[in-house]
Amino acid sequence: KRMQLIGSALRSFLQFARWCGCLTTDLATQVPSVASWPLSALPKSLPAKQVERVLARCPRTTAVGRRDHAILLLLARLGLRACEVVGLTLEDIEWETSRITIRGKMNRSDQLPLPADVGTAIAAYLQRGRPKSRSSRRLFLLARAPWTGFKDSSSVDRIVKQALGRAGIESPRNGAHQFRHTLACELLRRGRRLTEIGEILRHRRPDTTAIYAKVDLLALRPLALAWPGGAR
C-alpha cells in the first residue's frame, strides 16, 4: 500500500512538472503500477496468551482502569471494531437478556450475546467509574471534564497501545483491530467454520472472512505439495 501511494504521488508530481513546463515528455505514464492482489496479506493477530496477559495487567482499582478493562474485553471477546466501541450507548446494553447491540459499518445494527465477564466489567465501570453526565448517553466517557464520549477511534487505539506497553508486549501494530484478528484466529483454531466466524465478526461478504483460511495451518498442510527431493 505504501509503494502504491508513493507511485501515485510520483505520477502526480510528474504531471504537475509537465503542466508547469519543467518537462516536455510525459514521464508520468512511465511510472509502473505496483501489483496488488486481494486477500494477499496475513491477518495481524496476537497470540491468545498475550491477549490474556494484556487483560490481566489492566488495573481495575481506578475509574480509568475499569473503563479500559471493559473496552479491552469488548475487543477481545466480541471482536468489536474501535469505531463500534466509540459508538456504544447506555441503551445498547440489554441486561435482562444479556445482549448488546452493535452499530457497525453502513449503519448496520446487530445484536450479540453479552459474555459474563464483559458484562461484569461494564457493570463495574458504570457503578464505580463512569462520570455522571446529563449531556451524553455514550457508554464510555472521557476521564476528564467535559464528560463526553470519545471523539474518534484513535482514543481506543491509544488505550490498546498503553495496555500492550503495560504487558510488555511489542507488536508491529498497536491498534485495536489486532484483537479482532486474534479472536478470529482463535475461533478457527478451536474448529469453528469460516461462516460462523463471519457471523461473529459481522462480515457482510464471505470474501472478507476468507483471509483467515491462510492461518489454518492444519487444514492447509494436506494441500501442500511435497518438496522435490526433500521432506514434505
Side-chain angles (χ1 to χ4, degrees):
K1 293 296 182 181
R2 181 176 179 82
M3 292 306 298
Q4 288 177 334
L5 290 174
I6 292 176
S8 177
L10 180 57
R11 281 188 287 270
S12 298
F13 170 74
L14 294 174
Q15 289 172 353
F16 176 75
R18 188 184 182 197
W19 179 80
C20 291
C22 299
L23 293 175
T24 57
T25 304
D26 187 7
L27 295 180
T29 58
Q30 304 306 310
V31 179
S33 300
V34 178
S36 177
W37 295 273
L39 306 177
S40 61
L42 287 173
K44 307 296 184 181
S45 62
L46 293 169
K49 291 184 178 180
Q50 289 189 356
V51 172
E52 295 304 318
R53 192 166 78 191
V54 169
L55 295 172
R57 296 289 179 86
C58 186
R60 281 163 270 179
T61 57
T62 64
V64 173
R66 285 186 281 271
R67 180 199 67 186
D68 293 354
H69 183 247
I71 290 175
L72 292 171
L73 275 173
L74 283 168
L75 298 174
R77 300 290 188 258
L78 295 177
L80 265 61
R81 303 177 180 91
C83 61
E84 294 170 345
V85 173
V86 171
L88 285 173
T89 65
L90 295 173
E91 289 74 22
D92 291 332
I93 309 295
E94 298 181 11
W95 297 103
E96 294 182 356
T97 58
S98 297
R99 300 186 70 82
I100 181 172
T101 300
I102 309 299
R103 293 174 177 82
K105 294 181 178 179
M106 306 296 292
N107 293 323
R108 175 177 172 178
S109 180
D110 296 286
Q111 278 198 330
L112 294 177
L114 185 65
D117 56 348
V118 180
T120 300
I122 294 176
Y125 168 64
L126 293 177
Q127 294 170 349
R128 296 178 290 117
R130 186 181 185 274
K132 295 181 180 179
S133 175
R134 296 182 178 180
S135 59
S136 179
R137 300 295 293 174
R138 291 281 184 86
L139 178 58
F140 298 109
L141 301 181
L142 297 173
R144 297 179 180 178
W147 314 120
T148 59
F150 297 137
K151 183 178 179 181
D152 51 38
S153 302
S154 61
S155 299
V156 177
D157 289 333
R158 281 195 295 269
I159 291 174
V160 171
K161 183 177 181 179
Q162 294 170 359
L164 292 172
R166 281 194 303 267
I169 297 173
E170 294 184 3
S171 174
R173 294 189 178 185
N174 294 316
H177 217 71
Q178 59 189 323
F179 283 79
R180 184 175 174 88
H181 291 321
T182 300
L183 174 64
C185 294
E186 183 64 14
L187 290 173
L188 191 64
R189 188 185 66 82
R190 295 179 183 178
R192 295 292 188 91
R193 297 193 301 268
L194 288 177
T195 53
E196 295 177 300
I197 296 174
E199 291 176 358
I200 293 173
L201 298 183
R202 306 172 312 285
H203 288 157
R204 291 192 302 159
R205 299 185 305 168
D207 291 348
T208 308
T209 317
I211 188 174
Y212 297 107
K214 297 181 179 182
V215 299
D216 190 1
L217 299 183
L218 293 178
L220 292 175
R221 195 180 303 277
L223 304 178
L225 298 176
W227 185 262
R232 184 170 180 171

